[in-house]
Every structure is written in structure tokens, then in C-alpha cells.
Amino acid sequence: MSSLRVELEQRAQRLRAAGTRLQSRSASEVLAVLCDLLDAWSDPASVWRTRLERELPGATGFSPEVVREGLSRGLAAFTGDRLRELVARELRPGDLGFPLTSVLLAGSIPMPSLLSLVLPLVLRSPVLAKTASRDPVSPHVFAETIGELDAELRRCIDVVSFPGEDADCSRVLLSSDCVVATGSDETMSEIERRVPAHTRLIRHGHAMSVAALGPETDADKDLSDAAVRLALDISLWDQLGCLSPLAVFVEDAAGGRSEQLAASLADALAHAQERLPRGEIAPASAAAIAHERDEARMRAAAGQRIVVHASADTSWTAVLEPDAQWRPVPLHRFVRIHPVDSREALLEALAPLHRHLACVGLEGFAEAGPEIARTLCERGASRVCRFGEMQSPPLGWERGNSPLCRPLVQPA
Amino acid sequence: MSHPERAELDARIATWMRESDWCEDEERFEELALALFAYQFENCPPYARFCRARDATPAKVRLAGWRDIPRVPTGAFKEMALRCFPEARTVKTFRTSGTSTAKRGELHLDRLDLYEASLLATIRRFLFPDLDQGERMLVRVLAPSPAEAPDSSLSHMFGCTVDQLGAAGSGYDMAAGKLMARALMERLAEAQRADRPVALCGTAFAFVHLLESGGARAHACALPAGSRVMETGGFKGRAGERTRDELYAAIEQMLGIPPDRIVNQYGMTELGSQFYDSNLQTPDGPRRKLEPPWARVRIIDPESGRDLAPGEIGMIAIHDLANVGSVAAIQTADLGRLCAEGGFEALGREPGAEARGCSVAVDAMLGPAPARGSGSAPARRSGPAPARGSGSA
């Protein structure tokens, strides 16, 4: 047995003990501390926010500008008031969390991590959190913020790091009463295989988002304005978040509008690159972008109606496709624009994605918009919003169309 | 061959392939590469349009040099028929592996002799450097025969090897998608008793299956000195749960063939030439991939499109004069780096974005459809499938 595993077991024991004391406190008192924490994080002038803005770029590979803008938009709705509303909506007096909740974090975007850490504590369940390899910063800042606000609550969160392949250490985390895990389908299946049968497992799988533009945006100005907001949605977090649109469907029965949008989006992505430079990129990702661009150019040479708009380096790419057929999207600000003939064709094109669809940015459908939004939600999308708002979900956004707090409640 | 220019090109390239003295003749390569580009530009319309869009014509490229010949991404072989001859003249089509619903890359050939001359000259040099002219060796293949998998370039290559270099008793140990591990191990035990060295060839995943087969494990043997293994296939760092080092160690344990007698081949359906580890051909130097003189490997910076210096990681680009009837200049999405001693190292396709975000590329989400031109790994995970993908390090 490794010494790290022994240490982890001891830390888990300490958390359980601290959790017993925590459960003797009132729910409203604990909630008040966590609301204060959210208010501190959402305040751009707070010391914690400044620290996140300073430390996240180096740890995550995002540019400082992207981190600043992403936090500003992402945390704006993460306030104490919104948390109180969520709790009032989902929880009943006396609801308690599990004696110990493990949170396995993934990715490098702070908002999902923040929520994963806050919610078990709301239910007075102590948290053993494993950092994501690309964001060792946020969980530690979170724990330190709590320490500043409430020393006893600070004893109810512990942040650990170890390589994912360390089976010994993973076993300790997976032996908690409740496990909250974020990751790919493959990771989720592996975790599901390894958690004991009695453990409550809450899974947050990978997801994706798209945008759809309706026929009611005829004026050039409208189209250009839509493209600017869409470029912001794509550029924030370098298109690596589950709320980042990977493809744009344009209802374009007459032809021409998808070309227009592609050109406008290319301009907007170029401007966004100046204001919000893309962060570092692995050689494999750059190679995938270069390859997809060349592949599109080759299809164009074969006679397909394809236009490739791209920066000189790999920092942004907009490919106008001839149809609605899905193709690989290598992320890092690479978007495909697909013309569709009709609303029905749009919904049909999205059908293969229903299981993984997070957000749909929707504009230009006028009176038909609400009905399309309803249909998309019925088919799996958990959020529909305007362009430019895709990266600013409300705190209570039910990712995966599931309640946020209820799954963390220990059965009576 | 009705096209006189093509006939002359074929003859000149075939002459080079037949020469036993392999020297890096840059001038000869340049001349042939430019002539081949002019031919392919004239006879492959989609490629010509692709080149024109990049302002690259034979006249302009002739001034700049062969490195400016536009490279076609491997994914394009899935999208269109890249051939310089009428469809009716096709004598063979090789296809990349893939699911029944996914598009598969295709290499169309109007003659096989050049293709086979290239593969035989290369495998002879890098896997059988110790065989005298006319000498043969016992070859066992962990893949289906060409008759069973007629569109697999890998099976075709193994078929040529068995036919041209295999001694009596050579053949295939996979049929109907199943590795016949017990029968293979019995044959190997017989070779051991007869002190006959063996060349074992197959995909990395086929070797994993062999190693994990209970019947095979019970018949571990120590093959005679001079035995060797050639493995190929989409490793992406791991085959099953093993790293390549672990695989080689397990092969040594089960078959008595040490890692320095195991050769990895880097190849892809879209190419007429293959690249082999140097360890049998130049056992004293560091292990690296070597190319035949009629092919050139470059490492390209995906950001700038420029050539990278030895040691720097970038995309592997290949200019293969054996691809006479299709397109010679190929851009893979595989990563690699040049070695200071010559040759290169293939690094596969490490995941890039997944570790940082919670989004995922569309192709990954829609199931097993191969991404970025890679047909190899997904299909091979489920078994020792013989077809070659686009780039298999």
C-alpha cells in the first residue's frame, strides 16, 4: 500500500469527523458562508478573483485575456442570491448530504469545478476533491476562500492531487459515500466499473453545443452583429468548454446567407483573436486543425461548395460546408457553418447529438423561436439562449436536464 | 502503358527501386519529384485544382523545388478518388480499416509491379538485411492472407513477403478474423526444434492477442537466434493496456525474441512505401525510422507550414515517388520528429484538447467513426484487424 494512499485514507477520516460536526450546524448558517464565497468570487475587485486571474493562465494554458473575460461572464451569475434561489427550489428543510463526498474534477474551466465543490457543502457533506491536471489552482483558491470565511467549514474540504492512473489512491476517493465525477464517456464508464455498488455516483459527461441562425436576420448589420456575438461564444475558453459552439446551422433555403455568415464570422473571429488571444495549443491539436483545413480545401478542389476562412497560423478557422453532414471539429476555435434548407432539416441534423447536446445558441427565428427551443429541450438540450450568452449560464442551469442538488441528498 | 510520360516515370522509379546501393541522391529525387508532380497535376483534376488554389503549378514549383509541391491530407483519400488514370484501368484498390458506416480511404493502383517493387526492396533491407540474394526464411503472418482480405494493403504486403522471401512452411495464422494461436505456437515449437529462425509479422494488436491467448501462454518458446518480429499498426502510445516497451518485453518472454530483433513499421494505405525501425539494418545506431531513397519524410510546423529542425515535434509529411498513379505528396496528421542521425521518430497522435475542456470533438462524440483520417486504431481495438489506417506509428 503506497504511503500516499495511507495519507489519503487518513485525510478522508479527518473529513468524516469534520463532517459530523458540520452536520450539527444549521443549514442556513453554512449556506450563508457559501453565498459569501460566491459573492467574493463574482466580485472582480476581490482578492480571490484577482488571484484566479493571475494564476489560471499559467496553469491552464488560456491567455490572461480569455481567463479575465471568461471569469467575468461566467461568474456574473454565480452569486449568493442565485445559490439561495437554487437551494430554495430544490431542497427541503432537513436535507443532508452524505458523510463524505468525493469530487473528481476535470478540465480547466473554473465554473463547473466551483459548483461541484459548493453543492455538497451546501448539504453539509464534507468534500474530498481531486484536482484536474490542467487546473490545480481553482480548488485550492476555493478552499482558501472558505478558510478566510469560516475556519470550521475549511476543515470540511480537502484538495488532493495524484496521477489518474494511481489505482491505489483512486480507490480511496471512489470509496466515499458519494462520488461526483466529470469526464469523457470512457472515463465515466471506468469510474462506474470501479465504484462500490452502494456508492452514489453522479456523473457529468462531456457535452457539446451548437448554434442555429434562422431566416429572420436579413440585414447585413444584424448578421454581422450576430457573428460578433457568436465569435465571442466560440473564443471564450478557446472553444474547449461544453458550452462552446462547434458548428453553426444556418436556415438558408434561398442560398447566400450561410456564405455571408461565414465571412462575417471569420472577420469576427479575427477581431476576437486580437482582443482575446487564443492560449497555448498542443502540437497534436495544431496538426489536427491544419489537417482539417487541408482536407476541406481538397474537398473544395473536388468541386464541393466549401469555403475555408482561416488565420495564417491555426488561431481560428471557419469552414463553410456544403451541407449539414457532421464532420470532425478539432476545437481551439475551429467552427463549421452548415446550411440547411428548413427547420425540419435543422432538427434532423441535430438528431445524432441529442445525447450529448448541452446548449443551443438560437437567433433569427422570430415567433418560431420558442417552439424550436422547446423541441430542442425535449430532445436533450439543457439550455437554449441567444448568441453571446452561451458562456454565461445561470448558476441553476441543469446540465444534463437533472436537478443539481437533489442527487447529492442522502436518502433518509 | 499508354501514357508515354508515365511509362518513362515508372521505368526511372523502378530502376531506382532495383538498385542495391541506396544513396540519398537529392538531385535525382528532385528531378523525379518535379516530373512526377507535372504528371499528377496534369492527370489528377482534383489535385490540380487544389494546387492552383495554392498558386502552385509545375512551372512555379520547378523554380522553388520539390518541397513546394502541395501535399494532400490523408483524409482526402476518403473523400475522393485520387488517381491519374481512368477508373477502368484500376487493377487494385486498397482501403483503410474502418467501421461499416465510416468512409474509408482508398488507394487506387493501375499497376502492382511498382508498388510491390517498393515494398519488397524496403522490407528486404530493413527486416531481412542478413538474407543473401535468393535466400529465404520461414515467415509466419499474424494477419489474414491476401485472398481473405483482398483490399488490405497490409495483407498484400505480407503476401508479397511470403511469396518472395518466405521459405517452405511460411503462411498465415489468422483466418475468419481469428488468430489461430495454438497452431501458431505449435509451428513455432517445431521451428525451435529444427533450429529454423522465424520472421513473425503482424499488427501490434495481433501480437497482443497472441500474448494474451491462454493456449499460446502455455507454449512459450525460445525461437532460434536470427528470428525476428515485424509489428505495425495504430499504437497511439498503447496497444490494449500495454506500452510498446511492455509489448516487446512480453514478446521476448514468450518467444525469446529480444527487443533489438523487433522492428516496428510505419506505413499507411495511402502510400506505396513503408518506413522501418533501423535496429536490424544498423544495429549499432539509435533506433529510428528509416525511409527508402525514393521517399522523403519531413516534419512540418502546423502553425507556419515550415520544415522543423531535428528534435522538434510537428506533423509528418511524406513525399513518396512510389505513389505514381495517385499523389506523391502526402500530409499526415501524425506527429513525429527528425533524428539528428537521420531518419525520424513517429509519435502518433497524442490527445490535445481533451485534458483542458469539457467539450469534445464531434467525431469522438458520434461514436467510433475514425477521426482525422485515422482508420486504424478504433477498428483494431476490438481485434487484430488487418487493414492499415492512415498513419500507424
Side-chain angles (χ1 to χ4, degrees):
Chain A
M1 191 184 294
S2 72
S3 59
L4 184 55
R5 178 181 172 175
V6 172
E7 187 194 323
L8 276 180
E9 283 176 341
Q10 289 166 350
R11 288 163 78 167
Q13 280 305 320
R14 282 200 291 272
L15 282 169
R16 285 180 186 277
T20 307
R21 290 190 292 277
L22 178 63
Q23 298 204 343
S24 68
R25 293 176 67 177
S26 77
S28 59
E29 185 189 352
V30 173
L31 178 62
V33 176
L34 296 168
C35 289
D36 286 349
L37 180 145
L38 289 187
D39 287 337
W41 276 41
S42 61
D43 175 5
S46 77
V47 61
W48 307 109
R49 178 73 166 270
T50 308
R51 193 168 151 201
L52 285 172
E53 290 180 4
R54 190 176 61 240
E55 294 182 17
L56 278 173
T60 60
F62 295 122
S63 70
E65 293 87 348
V66 161
V67 167
R68 198 175 307 122
E69 187 75 20
L71 288 176
S72 170
R73 289 174 180 274
L75 290 175
F78 277 46
T79 62
D81 285 347
R82 297 289 89 79
L83 181 61
R84 282 193 184 87
E85 285 171 14
L86 171 69
V87 167
R89 192 172 73 222
E90 289 197 16
L91 297 181
R92 291 186 291 266
D95 278 342
L96 270 180
F98 289 83
L100 181 61
T101 299
S102 287
V103 177
L104 280 63
L105 298 166
S108 52
I109 300 172
M111 275 71 69
S113 300
L114 172 60
L115 208 56
S116 293
L117 297 172
V118 162
L119 296 180
L121 290 171
V122 165
L123 282 152
R124 292 172 284 162
S125 171
V127 171
L128 179 58
K130 178 183 179 297
T131 59
S133 59
R134 292 305 298 257
D135 178 14
V137 173
S138 307
H140 286 290
V141 176
F142 177 83
E144 288 175 39
T145 314
I146 289 187
E148 184 86 359
L149 297 169
D150 187 315
E152 192 176 347
L153 194 57
R154 172 66 184 90
R155 283 190 282 276
C156 296
I157 174 153
D158 201 350
V159 180
V160 299
S161 300
F162 56 84
E165 57 270 21
D166 187 330
D168 255 6
C169 291
S170 296
R171 206 167 294 129
V172 178
L173 259 78
L174 299 181
S175 65
S176 294
D177 314 278
C178 175
V179 173
V180 179
T182 305
S184 64
D185 284 356
E186 200 176 8
T187 305
M188 289 301 108
S189 302
E190 179 63 18
I191 289 174
E192 194 167 341
R193 198 176 59 77
R194 288 164 58 189
V195 293
H198 62 269
T199 299
R200 169 73 56 86
L201 175 62
I202 298 161
R203 312 184 314 167
H204 298 300
H206 278 176
M208 62 186 298
S209 295
V210 298
L213 184 72
E216 309 296 333
T217 41
D218 284 335
D220 287 352
K221 187 180 171 303
D222 287 352
L223 206 61
S224 160
D225 178 59
V228 167
R229 286 180 283 113
L230 200 48
L232 178 69
D233 290 329
I234 294 164
S235 301
L236 283 176
W237 308 116
D238 293 352
Q239 206 188 16
L240 297 177
C242 59
L243 295 171
S244 306
L246 306 187
V248 188
F249 293 85
V250 183
E251 194 179 319
D252 188 16
R257 291 182 64 254
S258 44
E259 282 89 342
Q260 249 183 305
L261 179 74
S264 298
L265 191 52
D267 283 346
L269 285 168
H271 281 112
Q273 170 64 13
E274 288 171 16
R275 194 170 73 83
L276 303 168
R278 194 190 62 184
E280 66 181 44
I281 180 169
S285 300
I289 291 169
H291 202 259
E292 288 301 330
R293 285 178 177 181
D294 280 349
E295 196 268 344
R297 289 177 178 127
M298 195 67 212
R299 284 188 289 128
Q304 293 187 28
R305 287 173 56 109
I306 293 168
V307 183
V308 180
H309 300 275
S311 57
D313 58 10
T314 63
S315 57
W316 61 266
T317 311
V319 177
L320 174 67
E321 293 288 342
D323 51 36
Q325 188 194 334
W326 281 101
R327 290 188 168 275
V329 176
L331 310 180
H332 299 279
R333 306 191 185 182
F334 186 114
V335 65
R336 295 190 194 272
I337 298 100
H338 299 273
V340 288
D341 289 341
S342 63
R343 214 145 296 172
E344 292 69 33
L346 165 69
L347 295 172
E348 195 180 321
L350 296 180
L353 304 176
H354 287 163
R355 194 164 62 90
H356 291 283
L357 202 52
C359 179
V360 181
L362 207 62
E363 268 195 41
F365 289 95
E367 295 81 31
E371 191 194 327
I372 295 173
R374 199 163 38 250
T375 306
L376 289 169
C377 289
E378 282 167 9
R379 295 183 182 185
S382 52
R383 186 160 175 258
V384 176
C385 65
R386 283 171 58 80
F387 297 173
E389 296 171 2
M390 295 178 74
Q391 302 284 2
S392 322
L395 181 139
W397 165 46
E398 294 184 346
R399 182 180 170 185
N401 288 316
S402 301
L404 300 176
C405 301
R406 293 264 11 123
L408 295 159
V409 176
Q410 186 177 205
Chain B
M1 193 61 55
S2 59
H3 199 296
E5 187 187 358
R6 168 70 189 278
E8 191 199 332
L9 273 169
D10 285 346
R12 290 170 68 190
I13 293 167
T15 300
W16 203 352
M17 290 170 178
R18 281 196 298 270
E19 291 171 8
S20 57
D21 180 25
W22 279 16
C23 58
E24 295 252 332
D25 188 338
E26 185 62 22
E27 198 178 323
R28 186 181 192 182
F29 187 86
E30 172 95 25
E31 194 186 335
L32 277 169
L34 293 174
L36 185 55
F37 174 54
Y39 167 75
Q40 292 177 343
F41 185 90
E42 188 186 333
N43 292 284
C44 184
Y47 182 50
R49 284 193 292 272
F50 179 70
C51 295
R52 279 199 196 94
R54 299 184 155 210
D55 198 25
T57 61
K60 286 180 178 169
V61 167
R62 185 162 284 282
L63 296 173
W66 69 268
R67 286 180 176 76
D68 276 17
I69 294 172
R71 301 181 297 275
V72 164
T74 46
F77 285 81
K78 288 181 182 168
E79 300 289 341
M80 63 202 76
L82 288 169
R83 58 177 157 236
C84 298
F85 49 85
E87 187 178 0
R89 287 236 302 270
T90 304
V91 297
K92 191 77 181 172
T93 298
F94 293 124
R95 294 183 176 85
T96 58
S97 55
T99 61
S100 56
T101 52
K103 285 181 181 173
R104 299 168 69 187
E106 294 184 338
L107 178 70
H108 306 279
L109 299 172
D110 59 346
R111 55 184 294 180
L112 270 169
D113 54 348
L114 205 64
Y115 184 87
E116 292 175 353
S118 173
L119 74 87
L120 280 168
T122 314
I123 200 168
R124 176 186 281 281
R125 188 170 187 90
F126 292 114
L127 189 63
F128 302 101
D130 49 341
L131 289 194
D132 292 330
Q133 196 63 35
E135 194 181 354
R136 287 171 172 259
M137 188 176 190
L138 178 59
V139 177
R140 295 306 309 182
V141 176
L142 283 67
S145 69
E148 189 176 340
D151 65 353
S152 160
S153 60
L154 200 58
S155 282
H156 188 85
M157 185 189 76
F158 290 143
C160 289
T161 306
V162 167
D163 291 348
Q164 300 296 317
L165 298 165
S170 298
Y172 308 88
D173 294 289
M174 189 183 287
K178 279 193 162 181
L179 181 69
M180 297 174 291
R182 180 178 287 271
L184 169 62
M185 293 310 288
E186 282 168 5
R187 283 194 182 96
L188 296 181
E190 198 180 309
Q192 183 186 1
R193 286 193 295 275
D195 198 26
R196 286 181 79 193
V198 187
L200 275 173
C201 304
T203 62
F205 280 90
F207 279 99
V208 170
H209 277 250
L210 176 66
L211 296 167
E212 289 174 354
S213 144
R217 277 206 303 273
H219 293 84
C221 59
L223 290 171
S227 295
R228 67 211 62 189
V229 162
M230 188 278 258
E231 56 88 11
T232 185
F235 220 98
K236 291 189 174 176
R238 302 185 78 82
E241 293 300 315
R242 296 168 196 264
T243 64
R244 180 156 270 136
D245 285 346
E246 287 166 352
L247 174 65
Y248 286 11
I251 289 174
E252 180 173 28
Q253 199 175 9
M254 179 178 276
L255 303 172
I257 299 177
D260 64 4
R261 304 285 300 171
I262 303 174
V263 172
N264 170 256
Q265 185 225 52
Y266 174 79
M268 57 191 75
T269 302
E270 297 86 344
L271 291 175
S273 295
Q274 298 82 34
F275 309 89
Y276 289 84
D277 279 350
S278 57
N279 49 310
L280 289 186
Q281 208 261 332
T282 50
D284 296 333
R287 186 190 282 259
R288 62 214 196 271
K289 298 274 181 298
L290 295 176
E291 65 261 60
W294 55 87
R296 292 282 191 278
V297 172
R298 300 157 65 193
I299 303 297
I300 303 293
D301 179 359
E303 295 289 346
S304 66
R306 295 197 187 96
D307 283 81
L308 289 171
E312 294 182 300
I313 294 175
M315 303 187 294
I316 296 175
I318 296 166
H319 204 105
D320 183 7
L321 300 183
N323 270 26
V324 186
S326 59
V327 175
I330 305 290
Q331 180 61 63
T332 78
D334 289 337
L335 295 183
R337 62 183 152 213
L338 293 176
C339 300
E341 307 82 3
F344 69 102
E345 190 183 350
L347 303 171
R349 297 171 200 174
E350 295 300 316
E354 292 78 359
R356 285 177 58 198
C358 52
S359 186
V360 62
V362 172
D363 50 318
M365 195 161 277
L366 293 179
R372 300 188 286 273
S374 163
S376 56
R380 284 180 187 170
R381 276 195 196 107
S382 59
R388 209 195 291 263
S390 298
S392 47

